[in-house]
Amino acid sequence: MYDREKEFLKNELAAIPSRVCLTSDMWTSVASNGYMCLTAHYVDLNWILQKRVLIFRHVAPPHSGSVLGTFLIEFIKEWDIEKKIFTLTLDNDSCNRGVVDILKEHLSLRRSLVCDGKFFHVRCGNHILNLIVKAGLEKADASVIKIREGVKHIKHSEGRILKFVECIKNLGLPCSKKLRQDMTIRWNSTFQMLESALLYQQAYIQYKLVDTDFKYALSEEEWKRVETIAKFLKPFYDITTLFSGSKYPTANLYLPNVWKIQMLLEEERNSSDLVMNEMATLMLRKFKKYWRSYSKILSLAIVLDPRYKMKFVKFCFSKIDPATTDAKVKIVEDHLQLLFKEYLVPSISISLMEEHAYDRCTNEARDKLEEFDVFENQESGRGKTQLDLYMEEPNLDRKANPDLDVLAFWKENRLRFPELSLMA
């Protein structure tokens, strides 16, 4: 069954006209054995985003960049996708720089990298978010520690849990959420712990009366502090959840949400609340370490969202630093043109895209009037590229299309913008 499914997936990857984005990560078992996971993300012939785990395999130590890079090369050969790779997403582990260098060198020899690998390496957005928030939580005050120790105390025995549940019932509070205990390596679990504690705030107060050993009751001022910190962390939690999605495109969500984080940190850094001020300062320092320059390839993705395009890029940069806006926008525009030129090659033709990628999978008769749309587009855009024409069209109404399926938009416009839609 495995061999059959693997062959089926290899054939599917070979058939798609677009490229494949890879994600790789290491995982350590309870027995301290290291495993490598390689995941492929791609848009299939029906314009549906797909996610497939290609490899989950034991890797003997040492887990150095050269060893992991060599393993990845073997896996890529095994799946016959050397000429299909667009990006590789990794976390910020120190050895991953070596992994990227080895893979780029290997793929460069085969001339299979887009734009000579300029966009090849993508840093995991959620991993960076984790580092940013953990830096701030180091300065969270004693109220968070009290919540943590209080949860540990209550969950220490079944008898204590039953007492706490009884307090919840006596107060008529909803029992929709469990009492959460956080894990220090996952900041989002800390947010969930604070959120559940706030929900049962009154139960904590009553629990102190029924358990004389409970030493972790919070004062009214401390509960306000917990509420402030939870409110501050919620946007980070929501964005982490959004970035974790695999059923919808996330590349076009990067720029607006990273920009929101930066604006939030800048605002809190000027807060009169000394604790929030210190937390935001530390987080902003970590933010600028990793995201001082926004990811180039992910900044391009928002331009290919018809609700935003280049206007949104200019807006974001102008809010951050008006003095450098033009220079930063110019960099995005230059990279956009560079990537588009990569797709303007004779080997990628509209006939291949239509016949191989679309007609074969939909089996629908194409409306003949679509040919007129293509003709009209060509007539009105003589001397202009598809990218020029797309950028000149007015943006789609963002409010009227809050849940726009970006892939569906490009599927519908593939005849008007053949190469640009393939790039998207």
Side-chain angles (χ1 to χ4, degrees), residues 68-126:
L68 298 180
T70 302
F71 265 92
L72 272 177
I73 289 171
E74 292 304 313
F75 297 158
I76 289 166
K77 286 180 180 177
E78 184 179 324
W79 281 91
D80 196 23
I81 53 174
E82 284 180 290
K83 293 186 177 296
K84 284 275 185 178
I85 299 170
F86 184 34
T87 62
L88 174 66
T89 300
L90 302 165
D91 64 23
N92 288 287
D93 193 289
S94 57
C95 72
N96 282 334
R97 184 67 259 175
V99 173
V100 172
D101 291 342
I102 288 174
L103 271 173
K104 283 181 74 172
E105 184 179 357
H106 174 79
L107 296 172
S108 293
L109 291 172
R110 284 146 185 78
R111 297 184 179 180
S112 58
L113 286 172
V114 174
C115 298
D116 296 322
K118 190 176 288 290
F119 308 116
F120 178 65
H121 182 202
V122 178
R123 297 178 184 274
C124 176
N126 272 350

